[in-house]
Amino acid sequence: MSFTASSNLLPNTAILSSRRKQSASFNPRASSIKCDLFSPTSSPSPLNPKPHSNSNSNSNSNSKQPKIQNSLLKALTFSGTAAAASIFFRLTPLIDSGGGGNCGGGGGGGGGGGGDGGAGGEFWKKLFFVAPANADESQSEDWDSHGLPANIVVQLNKLSGFKKYKLSEILFFDRRRWTTVGTEDSFFEMVSLRPGGVYTKAQLQKELESLATCGMFEKVDMEGKTNPDGTIGITISFTESTWQSADKFRCINVGLMQQSKPIEMDSDMTDKEKLEYYRSQEKDYRRRIERARPCLLPTQVHREVLQMLREQGKVSARLLQKIRDRVQKWYHDEGYACAQVVNFGNLNTKEVVCEVVEGDVTQLVIQYLDKLGNVVEGHTQLPVVKRELPKQLRQGQVFNIEAGKQALRNINSLALFSNIEVNPRPDEKNEGGIIVEIKLKELEPKSAEVSTEWSIVPGRGGRPTLASFQPGGTVSFEHRNIKGLNRSILGSITTSNFFSAQEDLSFKLEYVHPYLDGLYSSRNQTLRASCFNIRKLSPVFTGGPGVDEVPPIWVDRTGMKANITENFTRQSKFTYGIVMEEITTSDESSHISSNGQRVLPSGGISADGPPTTLSGTGVDRMAFLQANITRDNTKFVNGAVVGDRNVFQVDQGLGIGSKFPFFNRHQLTLTRFIQLKEVEEAAGKPPPPVLVLNGHYGGCVGDLPSYDAFTLGGPYSVRGYNMGELGAARNILELGAEIRIPVRNTHVYAFAEHGNDLGTSKDVKGNPTEVYRRMGHGSSYGVGVKLGLVRAEYAVDHNTGNGSVFFRFGERY
């Protein structure tokens, strides 16, 4: 499952649309957090509206775009058929000009009831959101030359009201520092003018008026300088507003709080009435703080902000923007992509209050869609889906982008849906709230599949004839999601020759019953019951180096199996159950064989090899308990597996069956995937090099039939050898190491492995290791490359020194 994200959270943009081509109007007075969804193929538009400009517009105009906060909250979509998830979501914060504390009107929202620039609610709209675009959206790209001498300074009131002026550059001059600030300065976020844009005198004056009344500046002026090419350069000189120093910092969550509109202050109020007005607003804001919930911001970030306040001294607009950026960065880094700083209160006091809308989930909606996308009544019961959802998606929790990804993975693991979408959107009835919509398209409950293959066997004289063509294949069927509870019945039949299916027919019929303790139980238990007939070639009866080909022995297992699996986590589980089976050993002609076979020097075949079964008849029956516990803490880092995985399995004979078999067979596998280099985790980034260390021990106490002996050699044991080429033993130890180096879109690797029978080959009945002249131990080393699902390897057999090339499917570890 892969995840991609291609959107930015834009805290300084009041509205953003992927469909916008040129400029767009901003609405800083809307009172909601708006989550705009957009198509995966679309891309975010520029941060600020850009006016029409001549094709010769300044190429640096884009460099003057305000800084973008890289944070995500996307509509989550998953295609079950493609097994990939694409996540797209965009948050646009919109602020109400009124409301206690939002924009200064609440007695503390911009000055704490008396700070400079706090009245009127305009300061915070300017500080956190870009001013309305003053460029006329319908204007043409035509512009007029200023018609004045070059390189002279012109006041705005000297410009003509009938001309359209093209701006060559925009400069900010800080009067306090007596220097020109760069485009990276946060004050550039305050201006909607852009180099290369075309504006009228009225638009420039309106821009100056907006800057002068926003409360961010004690004084601000705008003047132009004429250029020889007819354009003008704009210089905005300013003196930044400041407030008294503060030594306390508080962060509150104001999401879902109803915004009350403040009473406008009448200019005809007396001093006493004004004082009462400020006291009333300050009292309202104190009540607002008391009702607000604490935010999720950790103590460490609180300390960082306090350190900023101590180092800065007086509180300034630049400092508040730095605090905003630090607070939002923590939220977005932690996956709370809907979180947004909307206001600072209590300025000109000793405590700065940071108001955050964190994105509280107010509603969870699950919808089933048909093939046309229409909402229908689904077959799957809702609790089946809801139990797979992380708690961060439940009502009352703060939405987290990682929870959305986890929901995709969990729901997809049900294998019930062809398409899954997780769409967070704003709650229009609850300001600051998020509604999480989950849209599902169900798979057909019944399916069947037939796969065929043709094989050619030699006829008379070694030449194939029409009768020697053997049709084989697999017929499989599935009935899933019985009663909408994710129960299923699966079956398959496999044979290499449909004309003589009784010779090698394999089948499996399985019933799966999840939620054994009920849908609302915290224990995730699944019952599986199956009957089976499996036929495999035994690696116990394999020759060693230099031994003529050993006649194969086939092992047929027919029986029943029932187990219960309890999932501790998505990857760690505990399985326990019982197995009852009949084991039959046979030769190539499907005749029961009670002993292994050897090729005599004369070319004949002798059936005096090691016994194949515990009973000595070629047929065993037994019942045993089986348990398996897996602890898997691996994860993917840019596609590379990192972490550790431990697996322990035990089979306990019950003394039921042929010769009353009583045994304890156990296996332990420990694997470590060690990341050798720290890398940035992101889509498209290269994976780290990884060192893999593996150890596997297998042992048996009690009765041990030869077909259950542990074998050494093969692609999943010691590479460079055939299956069982090193030996068959009662106890074995395998050690391996592999180093994986990423190369472009794949990786190359080198490995070394060793297997040892610990001297227990002789304890297997008939000692097949000695009979077939195998070493009982061996090592190998080699190199390989991963080509999609295929491993291409060159391995050296350390016993003989010969090297071979192998092609294998899947992973060794």
Side-chain angles (χ1 to χ4, degrees):
M1 189 179 296
S2 62
F3 285 85
T4 60
S6 59
S7 160
N8 295 300
L9 178 63
L10 308 178
N12 303 309
T13 309
I15 195 166
L16 184 63
S17 172
S18 61
R19 299 178 182 176
R20 185 176 57 200
K21 299 294 185 181
Q22 294 289 337
S23 60
S25 61
F26 285 66
N27 181 13
R29 298 183 181 274
S31 56
S32 67
I33 290 184
K34 184 178 180 183
C35 306
D36 292 330
L37 306 183
F38 62 102
S39 167
T41 58
S42 64
S43 59
S45 55
L47 179 62
N48 285 319
K50 182 177 179 181
H52 292 254
S53 60
N54 189 283
S55 58
N56 297 326
S57 61
N58 195 321
S59 62
N60 293 329
S61 64
N62 290 336
S63 66
K64 296 184 182 294
Q65 300 291 334
K67 293 180 287 185
I68 298 176
Q69 292 289 332
N70 293 323
S71 179
L72 308 172
L73 183 51
K74 334 262 184 200
L76 309 175
T77 51
F78 183 89
S79 173
T81 56
S86 298
I87 308 167
F88 293 100
F89 189 87
R90 186 168 39 197
L91 174 69
T92 303
L94 305 176
I95 285 298
D96 196 327
S97 59
N102 256 6
C103 300
D116 292 338
E122 293 294 328
F123 172 71
W124 291 113
K125 288 187 297 182
K126 273 292 188 178
L127 180 58
F128 292 113
F129 309 106
V130 180
N134 291 323
D136 186 357
E137 295 184 27
S138 62
Q139 68 180 346
S140 68
E141 295 186 359
D142 296 335
W143 55 280
D144 304 309
S145 174
H146 53 67
L148 300 172
N151 300 318
I152 64 171
V153 177
V154 182
Q155 300 297 324
L156 288 186
N157 57 4
K158 300 295 184 182
L159 298 178
S160 171
F162 302 98
K163 289 186 176 183
K164 298 178 180 179
Y165 296 95
K166 183 176 181 179
L167 305 187
S168 60
E169 63 177 352
I170 300 173
L171 302 176
F172 259 83
F173 183 77
D174 191 337
R175 284 198 182 100
R176 276 207 175 96
R177 303 179 182 179
W178 206 252
T179 183
T180 300
V181 300
T183 56
E184 72 282 354
D185 194 283
S186 57
F187 285 148
F188 271 84
E189 300 177 9
M190 305 298 300
V191 184
S192 65
L193 305 177
R194 289 293 172 262
V198 179
Y199 302 89
T200 63
K201 174 183 177 180
Q203 290 171 338
L204 295 176
Q205 289 177 328
K206 185 177 180 181
E207 182 77 16
L208 177 60
E209 181 183 353
S210 297
L211 294 174
T213 59
C214 73
M216 193 169 185
F217 308 107
E218 291 181 5
K219 184 178 181 182
V220 60
D221 295 310
M222 183 186 295
E223 60 187 16
K225 183 178 180 182
T226 59
N227 296 320
D229 61 357
T231 62
I232 62 174
I234 293 294
T235 299
I236 301 173
S237 55
F238 66 91
T239 302
E240 181 184 4
S241 294
T242 58
W243 296 266
Q244 74 175 57
S245 60
D247 54 12
K248 294 181 181 179
F249 175 75
R250 183 191 300 188
C251 180
I252 58 176
N253 179 9
V254 296
L256 307 183
M257 293 184 66
Q258 188 173 1
Q259 307 295 327
S260 58
K261 294 185 178 181
I263 302 173
E264 296 293 337
M265 185 172 65
D266 191 345
S267 58
D268 296 332
M269 283 184 178
T270 64
D271 291 342
K272 182 178 180 181
E273 289 173 334
K274 289 180 180 179
L275 181 60
E276 289 297 326
Y277 169 81
Y278 285 128
R279 286 177 177 173
S280 174
Q281 296 299 315
E282 190 169 0
K283 185 178 180 180
D284 290 342
Y285 188 67
R286 280 199 301 268
R287 284 199 299 264
R288 175 181 174 82
I289 294 177
E290 292 172 359
R291 293 197 310 268
R293 293 165 292 161
C295 66
L296 299 175
L297 207 65
T299 305
Q300 179 184 354
V301 180
H302 274 266
R303 292 172 181 166
E304 292 181 24
V305 174
L306 286 174
Q307 185 64 25
M308 292 182 190
L309 293 172
R310 295 190 190 101
E311 293 176 354
Q312 181 75 18
K314 286 188 175 183
V315 176
S316 65
R318 278 193 179 98
L319 175 60
L320 294 178
Q321 287 179 315
K322 289 180 181 179
I323 295 174
R324 175 204 66 187
D325 293 344
R326 180 64 187 95
V327 171
Q328 289 186 164
K329 182 179 185 300
W330 179 85
Y331 275 102
H332 303 157
D333 289 348
E334 295 299 316
Y336 299 103
C338 238
Q340 195 71 40
V341 174
V342 296
N343 189 57
F344 284 100
N346 269 11
L347 299 181
N348 266 348
T349 67
K350 288 296 183 179
E351 181 182 53
V352 173
V353 177
C354 177
E355 298 183 12
V356 181
V357 173
E358 294 182 326
D360 298 275
V361 177
T362 57
Q363 191 176 354
L364 175 66
V365 178
I366 299 176
Q367 296 177 335
Y368 295 101
L369 307 179
D370 60 14
K371 294 180 179 179
L372 300 178
N374 301 315
V375 178
V376 295
E377 184 177 352
H379 177 64
T380 307
Q381 295 191 24
L382 287 180
V384 173
V385 178
K386 288 183 177 180
R387 63 178 289 125
E388 301 297 329
L389 302 179
K391 66 177 182 179
Q392 288 91 340
L393 294 186
R394 298 173 186 170
Q395 185 175 349
Q397 300 290 328
V398 177
F399 184 86
N400 190 287
I401 190 70
E402 294 302 323
K405 296 178 183 179
Q406 186 64 44
L408 285 175
R409 291 191 289 267
N410 292 356
I411 298 175
N412 180 63
S413 67
L414 295 174
L416 298 178
F417 307 102
S418 62
N419 190 73
I420 305 168
E421 294 180 14
V422 180
N423 303 319
R425 63 176 178 84
D427 187 345
E428 298 177 355
K429 296 181 180 179
N430 297 284
E431 182 175 347
I434 298 295
I435 296 177
V436 178
E437 288 183 343
I438 298 177
K439 299 182 179 181
L440 308 169
K441 289 184 180 180
E442 295 180 296
L443 290 168
E444 291 294 332
K446 299 178 182 179
S447 63
E449 181 179 349
V450 178
S451 60
T452 59
E453 59 184 24
W454 289 82
S455 59
I456 301 175
V457 296
R460 291 184 178 181
R463 296 181 180 181
T465 63
L466 183 61
S468 66
F469 286 85
Q470 294 183 354
T474 300
V475 178
S476 59
F477 63 91
E478 180 178 3
H479 185 181
R480 66 174 68 87
N481 205 15
I482 300 173
K483 294 185 178 181
L485 293 172
N486 198 21
R487 301 170 186 172
S488 59
I489 297 177
L490 307 92
S492 64
I493 301 174
T494 303
T495 180
S496 60
N497 185 2
F498 280 119
F499 295 147
S500 302
Q502 70 277 6
E503 294 182 359
D504 67 342
L505 183 68
S506 297
F507 67 84
K508 183 178 182 180
L509 181 64
E510 183 179 37
Y511 171 69
V512 181
H513 185 115
Y515 323 124
L516 197 58
D517 288 344
L519 281 171
Y520 301 97
S521 172
S522 59
R523 299 182 67 184
N524 191 3
Q525 292 186 318
T526 301
L527 168 68
R528 285 181 170 85
S530 62
C531 57
F532 57 86
N533 178 25
I534 302 173
R535 190 170 193 255
K536 289 185 178 180
L537 190 65
S538 173
V540 173
F541 301 92
T542 302
V547 176
D548 293 335
E549 184 177 352
V550 175
I553 295 295
W554 291 88
V555 178
D556 290 273
R557 297 175 184 264
T558 304
M560 297 179 293
K561 180 179 180 179
N563 60 46
I564 295 174
T565 300
E566 184 169 354
N567 293 309
F568 301 126
T569 65
R570 185 58 54 183
Q571 300 177 138
S572 299
K573 58 186 178 181
F574 176 46
T575 301
Y576 53 93
I578 186 170
V579 180
M580 295 179 291
E581 59 183 2
E582 179 184 86
I583 302 98
T584 303
T585 56
S586 58
D587 57 19
E588 284 185 296
S589 302
S590 298
H591 297 137
I592 294 177
S593 178
S594 59
N595 293 88
Q597 300 175 341
R598 294 184 297 122
V599 178
L600 299 175
S602 61
I605 295 178
S606 172
D608 60 352
T612 59
T613 59
L614 189 65
S615 63
T617 64
V619 178
D620 280 349
R621 295 181 179 88
M622 66 174 63
F624 59 92
L625 301 177
Q626 188 175 75
N628 177 296
I629 185 167
T630 300
R631 181 178 181 272
D632 191 343
N633 293 324
T634 59
K635 65 176 182 178
F636 286 99
V637 177
N638 299 341
V641 179
V642 174
D644 58 90
R645 182 189 302 126
N646 305 323
V647 181
F648 178 68
Q649 178 173 318
V650 59
D651 300 338
Q652 177 60 54
L654 300 175
I656 300 174
S658 306
K659 292 289 185 83
F660 307 104
F662 190 81
F663 57 86
N664 180 277
R665 187 168 57 246
H666 44 273
Q667 300 180 67
L668 175 64
T669 303
L670 307 176
T671 308
R672 298 292 181 270
F673 302 88
I674 304 172
Q675 184 174 339
L676 299 180
K677 179 183 178 182
E678 293 296 328
V679 296
E680 179 184 355
E681 296 186 40
K685 297 294 182 179
V690 176
L691 174 64
V692 184
L693 301 177
N694 175 262
H696 173 244
Y697 169 78
C700 183
V701 178
D703 298 318
L704 177 67
S706 58
Y707 49 77
D708 278 339
F710 297 103
T711 57
L712 292 170
Y716 300 101
S717 175
V718 182
R719 284 173 280 189
Y721 299 90
N722 294 323
M723 292 281 292
E725 186 179 345
L726 288 175
R730 182 176 285 269
N731 301 313
I732 64 166
L733 178 65
E734 296 173 346
L735 301 173
E738 182 175 289
I739 184 168
R740 301 172 177 175
I741 306 298
V743 176
R744 296 192 177 181
N745 294 326
T746 183
H747 66 261
V748 297
Y749 56 92
F751 62 88
E753 295 177 332
H754 174 77
N756 199 299
D757 65 3
L758 303 177
T760 61
S761 292
K762 62 182 183 299
D763 298 327
V764 179
K765 268 193 173 184
N767 196 356
T769 299
E770 182 180 6
V771 169
Y772 297 115
R773 289 184 283 180
R774 291 176 286 185
M775 296 288 292
H777 59 82
S779 303
S780 67
Y781 57 89
V783 295
V785 60
K786 190 72 183 298
L787 303 174
L789 297 177
V790 179
R791 288 184 288 129
E793 298 176 341
Y794 175 79
V796 177
D797 171 353
H798 195 263
N799 287 348
T800 63
N802 297 326
S804 303
V805 176
F806 299 89
F807 293 91
R808 311 288 188 187
F809 284 95
E811 292 287 354
R812 166 65 176 92
Y813 303 112

